[in-house]
Amino acid sequence: AQSVTQLDSQVPVFEEAPVELRCNYSSSVSVYLFWYVQYPNQGLQLLLKYLSGSTLVKGINGFEAEFNKSQTSFHLRKPSVHISDTAEYFCAVSDPFGTGGSQGNLIFGKGTKLSVKP
Amino acid sequence: DTEVTQTPKHLVMGMTNKKSLKCEQHMGHRAMYWYKQKAKKPPELMFVYSYEKLSINESVPSRFSPECPNSSLLNLHLHALQPEDSALYLCASSQGRGAGTDTQYFGPGTRLTVL
């Protein structure tokens, strides 16, 4: 069974500092990886996704993530954060070979709360 | 247009009430999802519709009843809920290719409170 581990439940950081949100996955097969952001009282929005090809993926709002197969990681980074980046960030994996109609269903990590302070 | 809309935004209901949540998308997506999200937790998948047919029911109690009247609409009918059912209910849609590469687009959610 697949799983996703987000190693930090909360990450406080000062404005304009760099940030890395960590995500590790567990799977015996190829997977597709996603990062979603959830602003307070809103739904989830896709930041970026890795399907294949280049292991460095660039997303919206200046975020990027690097897929590392040997370390089974997909960490999210931003070189300089803004107050407006304060939100909950979810890493997710989907299984292209799932059974019982579950292909493509997302398995979410527990989330990381990013708090950007002035 | 990459918008998924949900109504109502907020809903307060008693344990004997019957209510419905509505979700709509006009992106031509053929897969639609209901998720339940408790505070400070990730979304939990409840139901998946693929081409208007229920493909996944994640052992959800029968007091939640989904309906997909057409490819653009998804409803969640609620009856005899419990206070522990209070949560944010999120709807999402995707192209429905079933290969795991699709992006799911989420609505803003309905904040449900059961008294």
Side-chain angles (χ1 to χ4, degrees):
Chain A
Q2 298 183 58
S3 65
V4 176
T5 302
Q6 291 184 243
L7 296 162
D8 305 297
S9 59
Q10 296 187 62
V11 173
V13 64
F14 287 105
E15 194 174 18
E16 298 184 7
V19 71
E20 178 180 82
L21 306 184
R22 297 180 292 169
C23 172
N24 286 87
Y25 67 92
S26 171
S27 174
S28 59
V29 298
S30 298
V31 295
Y32 303 123
L33 293 155
F34 303 77
W35 274 101
Y36 280 86
V37 61
Q38 186 174 30
Y39 298 103
N41 300 311
Q42 294 189 30
L44 279 70
Q45 180 184 10
L46 181 73
L47 278 176
L48 48 81
K49 64 182 179 182
Y50 172 78
L51 304 181
S52 65
S54 173
T55 57
L56 183 63
V57 181
K58 293 190 183 297
I60 62 171
N61 301 342
F63 284 93
E64 63 181 33
E66 184 153 20
F67 172 65
N68 188 319
K69 187 174 182 179
S70 63
Q71 297 186 11
T72 60
S73 68
F74 190 54
H75 300 334
L76 181 70
R77 301 187 184 100
K78 187 170 182 178
S80 176
V81 294
H82 302 286
I83 298 285
S84 58
D85 292 322
T86 294
E88 191 83 26
Y89 291 78
F90 292 100
C91 182
V93 63
S94 74
D95 177 4
F97 305 111
T99 58
S102 67
Q103 298 95 321
N105 289 351
L106 293 174
I107 299 166
F108 287 95
K110 293 188 175 181
T112 297
K113 169 70 174 173
L114 175 64
S115 299
V116 181
K117 307 180 181 194
Chain B
D1 180 11
T2 58
E3 189 178 23
V4 176
T5 59
Q6 290 187 244
T7 55
K9 294 188 73 170
H10 301 275
L11 178 62
V12 179
M13 60 187 291
M15 289 191 285
T16 59
N17 292 157
K18 284 185 180 182
K19 296 287 185 183
S20 296
L21 309 184
K22 297 186 184 301
C23 174
E24 190 167 5
Q25 57 87 15
H26 294 288
M27 294 178 276
H29 289 172
R30 303 311 299 271
M32 296 187 78
Y33 311 76
W34 279 116
Y35 289 87
K36 173 182 178 181
Q37 186 179 27
K38 301 284 274 184
K40 302 187 188 303
K41 299 288 187 185
E44 299 173 24
L45 184 65
M46 300 174 72
F47 302 104
V48 181
Y49 273 84
S50 179
Y51 290 79
E52 294 105 73
K53 291 192 188 320
L54 184 63
S55 63
I56 290 185
N57 175 341
E58 293 285 1
S59 302
V60 179
S62 59
R63 57 186 184 268
F64 294 92
S65 175
E67 178 195 20
C68 189
N70 59 56
S71 60
S72 299
L73 292 173
L74 186 66
N75 298 322
L76 186 62
H77 302 299
L78 314 172
H79 174 54
L81 295 193
Q82 304 296 311
E84 60 265 28
D85 296 321
S86 298
L88 181 68
Y89 288 83
L90 293 164
C91 174
S93 70
S94 70
Q95 285 188 294
R97 291 174 293 188
T101 59
D102 292 347
T103 296
Q104 289 189 24
Y105 293 85
F106 285 79
T110 293
R111 177 75 60 188
L112 174 67
T113 302
V114 182
L115 300 176

